[in-house]
Amino acid sequence: MSAPTGRRRALARALTLLLPMAPYADIEKIRADAGAVHMKTLPPSVAAWLATVAHVRHAHTDYETLLEEGYDRDAARFFVIDRINAVLTSWRATRLLDPDDEDA
């Protein structure tokens, strides 16, 4: 295994600062998503945040079920914001999802 790149170290640092108490399995998935090719042009802190929100939305909420029930993406996202923030709070996240954010 090669030494971590500067980008991977920066992502690891960003995730440690953002999610100090997140479970290891969740952090590993978020780290992989934040390191994806389509995230490479983003600053590590932004990639970490976007990957975190997407992971929590898909893995810890009813988002997928809402979509299957016919809700559009924006409506489904609106209905899961409180659950996302509850998960982030339980992980002692240093940032929560603002319903007015474009990232919501």
Side-chain angles (χ1 to χ4, degrees):
M1 177 184 269
S2 63
T5 65
R7 172 93 178 156
R8 284 192 294 218
R9 282 192 303 271
L11 282 170
R13 247 188 327 273
L15 286 169
T16 298
L17 292 172
L18 177 63
L19 305 170
M21 299 297 290
Y24 179 78
D26 289 292
I27 283 290
E28 286 304 298
K29 176 70 172 114
I30 294 166
R31 183 187 330 271
D33 292 347
V37 172
H38 69 279
M39 298 278 214
K40 265 196 154 118
T41 60
L42 299 172
S45 61
V46 173
W49 173 247
L50 293 176
T52 296
V53 171
H55 171 74
V56 174
R57 179 185 299 126
H58 290 277
H60 296 279
T61 74
D62 293 330
Y63 179 73
E64 300 289 338
T65 301
L66 291 170
L67 292 177
E68 290 169 8
E69 291 175 355
Y71 287 89
D72 68 32
R73 193 179 94 182
D74 291 336
R77 287 179 176 201
F78 171 80
F79 287 120
V80 299
I81 286 174
D82 289 341
R83 177 66 186 140
I84 290 171
N85 282 335
V87 171
L88 292 174
T89 298
S90 75
W91 292 352
R92 306 295 188 257
T94 56
R95 178 179 178 186
L96 297 179
L97 188 57
D98 181 342
D100 297 326
D101 273 356
E102 290 294 314
D103 305 334

